[in-house]
Amino acid sequence: HAKSLGRNTYQFFSAEMSAVATERLALENALHQALSNGEFRLYYQPQIEVCSRRLIGLEALIRWRHPEVGWVPPLRFIPLAEETGIIHRIGRWVLEEACRQQREWQAAGLCIVPVAVNLSPLQLQKDDFPEQVEALLSGCRLAPGLLELELTETAVMRDVGRMSDMLRKLKERGTRFSIDDFGTGYSSLGYLNRFPVDKLKIDQSFIRDVTRREDHAAITRAIIALAKQLHLKVVAEGVETAEQLEFLERAGCDGAQGFYFSRPVPADEIAGWLSREGAVQDRR
Ligand code: C2E
Ligand code: MG
Ligand code: MG
Ligand code: MG
C-alpha cells in the first residue's frame, strides 16, 4: 500500500501493523472475488403494521457466504468496503438486485410492498447517484415509491447542503427515505425539517428492554410522538416478543420489524408473505 507507506512509514513496518494490513488486503481481495463470483445475496425482513398485523414493507439486508470462511456478517465487511471504496460497487449491486427482485415478484403477480435498501453515506457522495437510481427504476419499470432508502442520522449530517439537494432530487421522483437506527446518532433534530424524510426507525437498542427499562420506554414514546408531530411514519426495529409488540401498540407505533415476526429470509421465503397479503387484498 503505497499510500499508507507515505503517511505512516514508521508504523507500517511494525509487525502488528503489517498483520493488520495483510488481513485487510486479504479481505479486500475477497470482496472483489465475492462480487465477480456472485457470493452476495439479499435477504428480506418483513415490516408489519402494528394495528392490522399486515405486511407493509420489506428491508433488504446483504448476506455474504465466503466459499471457505462461510457467512460473514455485514458489520464485519461493510466498514472495510467503505474504507476501500468497493462499497460503491457493492451498493450498486444491492440496489440492482433489490429492483430486479421487486420486478420478479411483480411479474409473478404477487402483492408488492416497498423494499427498503440500506445506503452507505459514501454512495450519496457520487453526484450522479439520483440519476443512477432513476435509471435503475425505469430500467426495471418500477414505481419509485416501491424503493425506500435507509440512511443513518450521521450520514445525512455529513454534508447538510449537498445532502439536502441530493435527497430532494430523489424525492421529487418519488423515492422514500427512512432514518435508520434513530436515536443513536449524534445530531440535532433540525435536519428532520430540512430533509424530505418519510419514516423514522427506532433503534433496536431501545426496543430490546423497552418493557423493563422506564428510560428506554420514555425514549421510545418520545420518538413516536415526534414522528406523529412531524407527520412521519415510525417503525420499531428488533421486536422479539409479544410484550414489546403490545407496548408499541399501546404507544401508537405504526410499524414493527424483528425476529418476533420473522428473521431476514431469502427472497423465495418472502413469496409466501406476499401471496398471503395478495389474498387479503383480493377479498376486499
Ligand atoms: P440495520 O439496517 O439497522 O439492520 C437491522 C439489523 O438487525 C440486521 O442485522 C437484522 O438482521 C437485525 N435484526 C432484525 N431483527 C432483529 C431482532 O429482532 N433482534 C436482533 N437482535 N436483531 C435483529 P444485519 O443483517 O446483520 O445487518 C447489520 C447492519 O449492516 C444493518 O443494520 C446495516 O447497517 C448494515 N447493512 C446490512 N445490509 C446492508 C447493505 O446492503 N448495504 C449497507 N450499506 N449496509 C448494510
Ligand atoms: Mg436498515
Ligand atoms: Mg437499524
Ligand atoms: Mg444499523
Side-chain angles (χ1 to χ4, degrees):
H1 267 151
K3 259 191 227 152
S4 44
L5 196 63
R7 260 186 281 136
N8 277 316
T9 314
Y10 57 96
Q11 275 181 25
F12 188 80
F13 294 104
S14 79
E16 201 184 319
M17 243 334 246
S18 72
V20 170
T22 306
E23 198 189 299
R24 282 172 44 107
L25 195 60
L27 185 54
E28 194 184 340
N29 286 335
L31 285 172
H32 281 277
Q33 289 273 311
L35 271 172
S36 44
N37 297 346
E39 291 164 14
F40 292 120
R41 291 283 177 278
L42 285 187
Y43 275 34
Y44 298 86
Q45 189 178 37
Q47 272 176 25
I48 305 297
E49 186 176 53
V50 171
C51 63
S52 68
R53 305 290 201 265
R54 291 186 50 185
L55 184 76
I56 48 169
L58 298 168
E59 178 175 5
L61 294 153
I62 196 168
R63 294 291 177 263
W64 177 23
R65 190 165 183 180
H66 187 280
E68 286 127 43
V69 179
W71 297 103
V72 186
L75 292 176
R76 282 276 307 283
F77 67 86
I78 295 286
L80 184 85
E82 289 177 334
E83 277 177 51
T84 60
I86 197 178
I87 191 67
H88 291 289
R89 289 180 57 205
I90 296 178
R92 201 185 164 81
W93 178 83
V94 170
L95 280 166
E96 282 169 3
E97 174 58 17
C99 291
R100 190 204 58 75
Q101 186 61 62
Q102 277 284 53
R103 180 80 203 120
E104 195 180 307
W105 282 325
Q106 204 163 52
L110 293 168
C111 154
I112 291 292
V113 293
V115 169
V117 165
N118 292 281
L119 281 194
S120 160
L122 294 181
Q123 288 175 270
L124 288 163
Q125 277 171 19
K126 293 258 190 232
D127 286 325
D128 66 347
F129 183 74
E131 287 76 22
Q132 255 186 53
V133 171
E134 194 179 26
L136 199 58
L137 289 168
S138 57
C140 292
R141 281 164 291 145
L142 273 188
L146 292 178
L147 180 67
E148 197 172 290
L149 301 176
E150 293 196 2
L151 292 156
T152 58
E153 291 167 84
T154 336
V156 290
M157 291 306 288
R158 267 199 189 175
D159 184 348
V160 176
R162 260 194 79 252
M163 199 58 83
S164 78
D165 288 348
M166 176 92 40
L167 300 193
R168 213 159 292 282
K169 255 193 203 170
L170 283 161
K171 184 72 195 179
E172 275 163 19
R173 294 157 180 156
T175 308
R176 307 185 193 194
F177 294 101
S178 310
I179 303 295
D180 204 354
D181 306 341
F182 189 79
T184 60
Y186 184 69
S187 69
S188 73
L189 292 174
Y191 77 89
L192 287 177
N193 285 330
R194 270 179 290 150
F195 296 123
V197 173
D198 302 280
K199 188 190 274 184
L200 302 182
K201 297 187 74 181
I202 307 172
D203 191 66
Q204 53 188 47
S205 61
F206 300 121
I207 304 305
R208 189 171 303 130
D209 43 22
V210 76
T211 57
R212 292 186 302 262
R213 280 184 58 171
E214 189 43 48
D215 56 342
H216 284 185
I219 289 169
T220 300
R221 285 194 208 96
I223 295 175
I224 295 168
L226 175 70
K228 298 260 133 112
Q229 290 287 314
L230 295 173
H231 307 288
L232 306 175
K233 290 283 173 199
V234 57
V235 169
E237 301 193 82
V239 177
E240 294 185 355
T241 68
E243 291 71 35
Q244 290 165 344
L245 184 61
E246 276 160 30
F247 174 94
L248 293 165
E249 186 158 29
R250 278 197 304 275
C253 192
D254 300 313
Q257 183 183 339
F259 297 169
Y260 179 73
F261 299 107
S262 171
R263 291 183 173 263
V265 292
D268 54 345
E269 288 181 43
I270 287 295
W273 282 88
L274 293 172
S275 52
R276 275 198 300 281
E277 289 300 323
V280 170
Q281 282 190 335
D282 287 347
R283 270 190 261 113
R284 282 195 303 179

